[in-house]
């Protein structure tokens, strides 16, 4: 029962049970104020629900284990900000201002494993359904 909130270059976690707020990274994500958080998505894989993907304006995704409040992985591949994220089991799908959709399989060492470019503008929404079908939308 935790709500993740991005404000500029900070991410806060609000626990609905205790009503306490924790800052994901105590000193902020970056030393450079030019970067900001663009998207957030909780992992839906059973046993990994505490993992939070954070898309940033510096073209990368940070994967955080919110149980221990530590970044565990950085995913790259976009040429512009990461504006949308959604999980499908062990795979994280990201959409960017570069009009790309990237599929990152966290079981693989090479990432992304799939690159898809059919949009004309920034991919601003992604959603997987229960039949493993991806919907995406752009801003063009």
């Amino acid at each position: 029962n935790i709500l993740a909130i991005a404000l500029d270059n900070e991410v806060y976690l609000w626990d609905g049970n205790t009503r306490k707020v924790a800052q994901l990274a105590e000193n902020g994500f970056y030393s450079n104020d030019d970067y900001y958080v663009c998207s957030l998505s909780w992992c839906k894989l059973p046993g990994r629900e505490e993992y939070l993907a954070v898309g940033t304006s510096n073209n990368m995704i940070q994967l955080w284990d919110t149980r221990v409040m530590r970044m565990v992985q950085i995913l790259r591949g976009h040429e512009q900000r990461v504006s949308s994220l959604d999980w499908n089991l062990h795979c994280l799908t990201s959409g960017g201002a570069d009009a790309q959709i990237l599929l990152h399989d966290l079981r693989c060492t090479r990432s992304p494993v799939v690159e898809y470019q059919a949009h004309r503008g920034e991919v601003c929404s992604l959603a997987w359904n229960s039949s493993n079908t991806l919907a995406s939308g752009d801003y063009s």
Side-chain angles (χ1 to χ4, degrees):
N1 195 14
I2 296 177
L3 174 67
I5 303 163
L7 299 171
D8 195 28
N9 65 350
E10 302 289 343
V11 174
Y12 298 91
L13 304 175
W14 179 75
D15 188 320
N17 296 325
T18 64
R19 298 185 183 260
K20 292 185 180 181
V21 175
Q23 190 174 346
L24 192 58
E26 195 59 42
N27 296 320
F29 282 18
Y30 314 106
S31 58
N32 185 336
D33 289 335
D34 291 339
Y35 301 132
Y36 54 90
V37 177
C38 304
S39 52
L40 300 170
S41 185
W42 288 105
C43 183
K44 299 169 190 159
L45 184 65
R48 298 286 181 185
E49 294 95 345
E50 71 278 358
Y51 278 50
L52 179 66
V54 179
T56 66
S57 64
N58 66 342
N59 319 337
M60 68 177 168
I61 302 162
Q62 299 177 353
L63 185 60
W64 287 78
D65 182 340
T66 61
R67 223 174 353 119
V68 294
M69 304 296 270
R70 184 174 55 111
M71 185 170 40
V72 294
Q73 192 170 358
I74 293 177
L75 302 170
R76 302 183 193 282
H78 283 284
E79 296 173 13
Q80 295 179 33
R81 72 176 166 254
V82 181
S83 47
S84 55
L85 297 165
D86 197 30
W87 290 88
N88 186 15
L89 297 175
H90 50 269
C91 293
L92 176 63
T93 307
S94 59
D98 55 7
Q100 290 190 88
I101 296 175
L102 304 180
L103 182 72
H104 308 270
D105 186 335
L106 300 183
R107 300 170 301 176
C108 299
T109 55
R110 185 181 78 80
S111 188
V113 294
V114 176
E115 299 179 20
Y116 180 71
Q117 187 147 8
H119 287 280
R120 293 188 189 132
E122 180 171 1
V123 180
C124 54
S125 63
L126 293 169
W128 286 97
N129 71 10
S130 59
S131 300
N132 295 322
T133 304
L134 179 66
S136 63
D138 70 29
Y139 182 76
S140 56

